[in-house]
């Protein structure tokens, strides 16, 4: 029929027109790409580049304008043109980014070229760590005792019940164990509750006479502003012929005066520990009010710093030391306690928080 061929002719003609306008679009896009490349290489400043980028890729930019024409195209042609436009967009984005990097580099190079070597600038001082206050005070205490002739001994932190309790005269189920509750490890060991087991290990393992201190970490089920579940102690043990409490008082007085200043008084008060007899608590004259009475010493004029006593003859015998021939004393001092008094620190937890604002104050 006549109109069939007419329609076919029209459609063919339309397609041709279509194809032509699509080709036109493609070459327009190609032109855009070329133009963008030329202009980007001619740009000298970052500001110019920003303007150029906006001109091509902005919301009302040249690429977008071409894309706007897509709406009037045949639906089957749109994807082809869209894909090409997106490709160009990506090419231009990469192009502008690369150019921006070039320009930034040039700016930096120019800046560096202007600079001169300035030998008057101060050097960079490396930051230097400081000893932790607990470590520092422990070293200081070790120094005081080693100058008095004490050796430094050590023992394990994961200790056997025998050394921590049994050999120190704490029978199983003895109520004094309650004050030293600790973590028991599978296999029969426990985290030592004090450094006193080193007394036993030293008496069993070394020749007499003995004069040692034993610093180290100890553990107890305790946690408040003056007690920590892990803290440090220094044990002292002196065994010889004719040793008495007077020697203890002399040694501790010297210790207190070295640490807290000349004239610091020391007093002994009766106390109880299963492994010493007699046992004493040792106080120093309050370093804040010098005995007048203040808040820190609860108006007593004295500060308790350690426990001590004459080593119980039962303990000596169990450790193979003849109490008829030898006698001796022992003490145990809390390192944190001493550091808190010396530096006026009210909360023990500050020692374990690794806070630079706290630790850097101990720079010497
Ligand atoms: N070990 C005791 C404690 O931690 C202190 C102490 C040591 C007492 C030595 C007497 C002799 O409480």
């Amino acid at each position: 029929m006549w109109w069939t061929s007419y329609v076919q002719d029209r459609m063919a003609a339309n397609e041709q027109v279509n194809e032509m306008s699509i080709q036109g679009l493609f070459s327009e896009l190609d032109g855009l790409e070329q133009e963008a490349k030329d202009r980007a290489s001619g740009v000298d400043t970052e500001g110019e580049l920003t303007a150029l980028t906006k001109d091509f890729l902005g919301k009302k930019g040249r690429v977008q304008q071409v894309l706007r024409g897509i709406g009037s195209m045949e639906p089957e042609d749109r994807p082809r043109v869209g894909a090409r436009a997106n490709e160009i967009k990506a090419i231009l984005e990469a192009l502008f980014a690369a150019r921006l990097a070039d320009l930034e580099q040039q700016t930096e190079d120019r800046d560096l070229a202007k600079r001169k070597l300035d030998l008057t600038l101060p050097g960079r001082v490396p930051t230097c760590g400081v000893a932790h206050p607990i470590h520092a005070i422990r070293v200081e205490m070790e120094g005081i005792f080693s100058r008095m002739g004490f050796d430094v001994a050590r023992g394990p932190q994961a200790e056997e019940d025998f050394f921590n309790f049994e050999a120190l005269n704490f029978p199983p189920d003895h109520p004094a164990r309650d004050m030293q509750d600790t973590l028991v490890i599978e296999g029969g060991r426990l985290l030592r509750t004090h450094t006193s087991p080193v007394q036993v290990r030293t008496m069993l393992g070394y020749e007499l006479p003995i004069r040692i201190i034993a610093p180290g970490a100890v553990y107890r089920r305790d946690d408040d502003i003056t007690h920590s579940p892990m803290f440090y102690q220094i044990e002292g043990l002196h065994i010889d012929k004719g040793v008495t409490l007077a020697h203890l008082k002399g040694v501790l007085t010297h210790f207190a005066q070295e640490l807290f200043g000349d004239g610091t008084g020391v007093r002994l008060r009766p106390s109880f520990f299963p492994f010493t007899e007699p046992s004493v608590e040792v106080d120093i004259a309050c370093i804040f009010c010098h005995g007048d009475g203040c808040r820190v010493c609860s108006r007593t004029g004295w500060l308790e710093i350690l426990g001590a006593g004459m080593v119980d003859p039962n303990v000596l015998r169990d450790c193979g030391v003849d109490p008829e021939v030898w006698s001796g004393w022992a003490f145990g001092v809390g390192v944190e306690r001493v550091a808190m008094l010396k530096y006026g620190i009210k909360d023990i937890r500050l020692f374990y928080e690794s806070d630079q604002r706290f630790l850097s104050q101990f720079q010497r």
Side-chain angles (χ1 to χ4, degrees):
M1 264 178 274
W2 70 267
W3 52 266
T4 331
S5 68
Y6 172 78
V7 169
Q8 275 169 351
D9 282 354
R10 286 303 308 154
M11 279 170 64
N14 263 346
E15 247 162 52
Q16 235 170 330
V17 169
N18 245 340
E19 195 51 39
M20 270 168 62
S21 68
I22 289 167
Q23 285 311 323
L25 265 183
F26 276 154
S27 60
E28 206 177 320
L29 285 169
D30 288 343
L32 274 187
E33 182 180 340
Q34 193 50 52
E35 188 188 338
K37 280 182 181 163
D38 292 344
R39 285 180 57 190
S41 57
V43 147
D44 288 325
T45 66
E46 290 173 33
E48 282 171 39
L49 185 66
T50 311
L52 187 66
T53 307
K54 200 175 158 204
D55 190 21
F56 279 83
L57 295 176
K59 266 199 194 128
K60 295 185 180 154
R62 310 261 305 266
V63 176
Q64 207 54 43
Q65 272 168 23
V66 174
L67 281 172
R68 207 164 291 144
I70 279 188
S72 56
M73 284 177 204
E74 294 298 326
E76 64 266 33
D77 294 329
R78 290 177 196 169
R80 263 200 302 160
V81 180
R84 177 71 183 127
N86 282 334
E87 194 180 293
I88 297 224
K89 242 183 176 169
I91 291 173
L92 295 190
E93 269 159 15
L95 175 75
F96 294 143
R99 187 71 190 129
L100 182 64
D102 277 356
L103 290 174
E104 281 170 354
Q105 185 62 50
Q106 281 171 20
T107 309
E108 192 181 323
D109 289 347
R110 266 196 305 274
D111 184 41
L112 285 176
K114 268 189 291 189
R115 292 193 205 182
K116 295 204 181 74
L117 179 61
D118 183 354
L119 294 175
T120 66
L121 278 178
R124 286 189 195 130
V125 182
T127 48
C128 191
V130 297
H132 191 281
I134 293 299
H135 176 77
I137 202 114
R138 184 176 123 183
V139 168
E140 195 177 339
M141 287 158 78
E142 285 177 13
I144 297 170
F145 284 108
S146 57
R147 285 191 291 278
M148 285 191 274
F150 285 75
D151 290 328
V152 175
R154 272 166 219 283
Q157 294 178 30
E159 185 55 282
E160 290 167 39
D161 186 279
F162 173 77
F163 292 107
N164 196 85
F165 290 125
E166 197 91 46
L168 289 167
N169 222 9
F170 292 80
D173 300 323
H174 191 280
R177 287 187 177 218
D178 288 355
M179 312 234 306
Q180 303 196 3
D181 192 9
T182 187
L183 203 79
V184 176
I185 304 166
E186 243 177 286
R189 292 200 174 225
L190 45 81
L191 292 184
R192 66 178 180 189
T193 57
H194 49 181
T195 41
S196 299
V198 187
Q199 287 184 37
V200 179
R201 289 181 173 275
T202 311
M203 284 189 273
L204 287 174
Y206 292 86
E207 303 269 296
L208 295 162
I210 288 170
R211 212 185 304 166
I212 56 121
I213 55 164
V218 302
Y219 303 82
R220 283 186 206 179
R221 189 169 157 179
D222 261 342
D223 201 3
D224 59 43
I225 64 165
T226 55
H227 295 88
S228 156
M230 188 279 315
F231 61 106
Y232 292 89
Q233 282 190 336
I234 295 184
E235 192 80 7
L237 175 67
H238 178 32
I239 296 185
D240 205 335
K241 290 175 181 158
V243 170
T244 72
L245 268 190
H247 299 118
L248 173 70
K249 189 168 182 185
V251 165
L252 291 180
T253 301
H254 178 75
F255 164 72
Q257 296 189 348
E258 286 269 299
L259 207 58
F260 295 110
D262 287 346
T264 306
V266 166
R267 78 172 180 184
L268 310 187
R269 276 182 294 118
S271 184
F272 173 80
F273 298 100
F275 43 95
T276 46
E277 184 59 36
S279 300
V280 294
E281 293 297 339
V282 179
D283 298 337
I284 56 168
C286 179
I287 52 176
F288 301 102
C289 65
H290 304 286
D292 295 344
C294 67
R295 270 228 309 259
V296 183
C297 60
S298 312
R299 321 233 165 264
T300 62
W302 295 96
L303 297 165
E304 182 187 319
I305 62 159
L306 59 87
M310 298 302 294
V311 181
D312 193 296
N314 285 338
V315 174
L316 291 176
R317 248 189 308 272
D318 283 354
C319 295
V321 177
D322 182 354
E324 300 301 326
V325 182
W326 306 91
S327 62
W329 42 252
F331 65 83
V333 54
V335 180
E336 281 83 347
R337 170 92 178 127
V338 169
M340 287 170 83
L341 287 174
K342 181 155 173 142
Y343 299 128
I345 295 162
K346 298 217 165 58
D347 188 337
I348 197 170
R349 287 167 289 207
L350 285 164
F351 289 126
Y352 317 114
E353 286 168 349
S354 298
D355 188 330
Q356 288 298 316
R357 290 168 302 179
F358 173 73
L359 295 176
S360 60
Q361 295 178 49
F362 296 91
Q363 191 115 35
R364 291 207 209 178

